[in-house]
Amino acid sequence: AARAAPAADLLAAFKAAFDVNRAQMAKGAARAARIEDRLDPKLAPLARDAQALADGLAKAAARLDRAAIQAACFKRLLRIERLALPDRLTRATQALDAAAAREAHLQREYAALRRRLAHLAPSPAPQPTPPPAAGPVAAP
C-alpha cells in the first residue's frame, strides 16, 4: 500500500499538470482564434496579391522558357543558314549566269529570224496615185 500511495499521488499530480496544461492550451487557442479573426481581414488582400503575383510569375517563367527555346532554335538555324549560304549563292549565281546566257542566245535567234523575215517578205508595192478629181467643165 505504501507503493500505491505515491503512485496515486504521482497520478494525481500528472492529472493536475495535464489539466493545467489543457487549460493553458485552451486559453492559447482562444487567444490565437481572436488574433486570427483580427488578422484575416488584413491578410486576405495580401494573400490575394501574393496569389496574383505567384500566377504572374508562373506565366512569366513559362514565357521565358518559350523564349529561351526559340532563341536556341533561331541560333541553331542561324548556324545552319551560315553554313548553307555559300553553296546557295554559288547555285544562284550559276542559275543567273545560265538564264543570262539563255536570254542572250534567244535574243540572237530572234534578231536572226527578224533579218530572215525581212529578207523573205516582198517589198511593199507602190501605191497608185489617184487621178485628179474631175471638176466642172468650162463652156467655150
Side-chain angles (χ1 to χ4, degrees):
R3 287 186 131 205
D9 291 339
L10 187 59
L11 183 62
F14 281 137
K15 186 175 179 186
F18 178 76
D19 289 339
V20 168
N21 285 337
R22 180 183 281 172
Q24 285 178 345
M25 185 180 74
K27 184 178 174 183
R31 182 170 182 252
R34 285 192 309 273
I35 291 172
E36 285 177 0
D37 290 343
R38 284 185 298 177
L39 283 179
D40 279 346
K42 294 177 182 177
L43 290 179
L46 295 175
R48 280 193 307 271
D49 292 347
Q51 186 59 47
L53 288 173
D55 292 345
L57 182 61
K59 288 177 184 175
R63 286 193 309 267
L64 180 62
D65 288 344
R66 281 193 303 274
I69 290 169
Q70 287 176 348
C73 289
F74 284 128
K75 189 174 180 182
R76 178 177 163 84
L77 182 61
L78 178 64
R79 282 194 309 264
I80 291 169
E81 289 297 322
R82 282 186 178 161
L83 290 174
L85 185 61
D87 187 45
R88 282 187 186 166
L89 286 175
T90 300
R91 286 194 318 262
T93 302
Q94 290 170 348
L96 180 63
D97 291 345
R102 176 79 175 139
E103 181 184 0
H105 173 73
L106 290 174
Q107 289 292 336
R108 285 190 304 272
E109 274 187 26
Y110 178 73
L113 288 173
R114 294 280 302 187
R115 284 191 304 273
R116 194 168 155 203
L117 180 65
H119 180 67
L120 293 178
S123 58
Q127 295 292 328
T129 55
V137 178

